[in-house]
Amino acid sequence: MKVAFATLGCRVNVYESEAMAEKFIREGYEVVDFSNVADVYVINTCTVTNMGDKKSRQIIGRARRLNEDAVIAVVGCYSQIAPKEVGAIEGVDVVLGTRNKGEIVYWVNRAREESSQIIKVGEVLKNKVFEDLNIEEYQDKTRAFLKIQDGCNRFCSYCLIPYARGGVCSKPKEKVLKEIKKLSEHGFEEIILSGIHTASYGVDLEEQVTLVDILEEIEAVPGVKRVRIGSIDPTFFTESVVERIVKLKKLCPHFHLSLQSGCTETLKRMNRKYTAEEYKAIVEILRNNIEDVSITTDVIVGFPGETEEEFQTTYNFLKEIRLSKTHIFKYSPRKGTKASNMDDQVDGNIKDIRSDLLIELNKKNEKEFIENFIGREMQVLIEQKVKDSSNLYEGYTANYIKMVVEYNNEEIIGKIVPVIMDKCCGEYAAGHILH
């Protein structure tokens, strides 16, 4: 029996897909690429935007065309938010939410045996238990994602995630450390700690433990050379937190601090818990204390009520603080959120114009950031061969600059190597390995 996975959305979904794949392998399944004919297709969905829902539906259709007799299982955030809608899509056999992915093999087998559709989506808002969806045998050998937290208590006015994932649930510290040690034994040199709202790690645990405590304990684990934090709320970085993390040699100097808008008035309507000035102050604290730090972010354009003046404030803010990379999203109304019912919804053409302006600004900022390191020796974790190339490999520096190098042996994959950066090639850099 063959199973194929399609994963949309965040790093938490990436981790959970690998954990589900392992469960299929233990039951005798072979995991194949999604473009192949398989007996089971698993679509791990995202519902952050309408586009995520649309992509999920397109992938379901593709799976059915590949094998009309396959069992198609749709899991994750889209399923959690709209189980009936997902179940009504032609060809869907199994619908699971966000907190019962560990049972996927059982439900897939049952759907096949009974030749009937199964929908198992429970209530998540009151769920306070972390689902132990662990990985025992890792397929990849470069960077490892480790899910340490799930859920969110923030309820930003544009976001459905608290309704899809429920409240904050954290993985107990001893289980996190056990998995870290296991990753080290498997030869991983970089571990990415991920969660839905990673900064809130530990707030729900009886044991008084925070994300900084976990980072300090990982520092002592032999074998692991790099630790990276996934997307994190900027308010996590207080002066006392920064005083502690600057002592950590393994923590990568790269932080993805969600911004969403550079205008405080817009941030208020979004129900974000900081002002633009507070965000700027956090960026300055990090830059003043951490050498070569890279700060990336997300920004939403066209949020309800965003005037031309508010957008210009965001543009000028990003132009001033010059982040190393900014991901631009056009606001997408999500039914069930406060923002979807707000007045002054922004015209789509205006969103396009504002998005294009920020994309061009990002290209300039990203290029300038990369050029700061030309001629410097950088430590690069080589992840894979460049597609359609015989001797080009790509990977990332500790501060998350994509680097391309020449080499003549695939044994380099999964290793951290010293590289001299030679030039900037737009969104990535090219360099040569020091021998």
Side-chain angles (χ1 to χ4, degrees), residues 335-348:
K335 184 179 178 181
T337 63
K338 185 177 179 180
S340 66
N341 295 318
M342 287 181 176
D343 295 331
D344 300 323
Q345 296 286 328
V346 178
D347 181 79

Side-chain angles (χ1 to χ4, degrees), residues 259-263 266 270 297-303 306-331 349-367 427:
L259 172 62
Q260 308 307 358
S261 176
C263 174
T266 310
M270 290 179 169
T297 199
D298 301 315
V299 168
I300 298 172
V301 297
F303 187 76
E306 183 185 65
T307 63
E308 186 61 36
E309 182 181 3
E310 287 186 352
F311 170 73
Q312 197 60 48
T313 298
T314 292
Y315 184 91
N316 293 337
F317 182 85
L318 292 170
K319 185 177 181 181
E320 180 184 358
I321 63 173
R322 305 184 321 281
L323 301 180
S324 54
K325 190 176 185 67
T326 303
H327 301 275
I328 315 299
F329 299 91
K330 288 174 277 193
Y331 170 71
N349 292 329
I350 294 175
K351 291 178 190 177
D352 291 340
I353 293 169
R354 292 176 183 175
S355 174
D356 291 343
L357 287 170
L358 290 188
I359 288 171
E360 286 305 309
L361 177 61
N362 170 65
K363 289 178 181 178
K364 179 176 181 293
N365 289 341
E366 188 172 12
K367 181 173 181 288
E427 296 181 350

Side-chain angles (χ1 to χ4, degrees), residues 251-277:
L251 182 62
C252 289
H254 164 237
F255 304 106
H256 188 84
L257 308 185
S258 299
L259 172 62
Q260 308 307 358
S261 176
C263 174
T264 296
E265 290 305 311
T266 310
L267 290 171
K268 285 179 183 177
R269 294 197 303 279
M270 290 179 169
N271 197 32
R272 302 294 286 178
K273 308 301 182 183
Y274 51 84
T275 66
E277 285 305 309

Side-chain angles (χ1 to χ4, degrees), residues 10 12 77 147 149-152 161-162 165 194-198 231:
C10 65
V12 170
C77 293
K147 176 185 168 185
Q149 181 275 335
D150 205 341
C152 180
I161 294 304
R165 289 280 180 171
S194 61
I196 299 301
H197 192 265
T198 317
S231 178

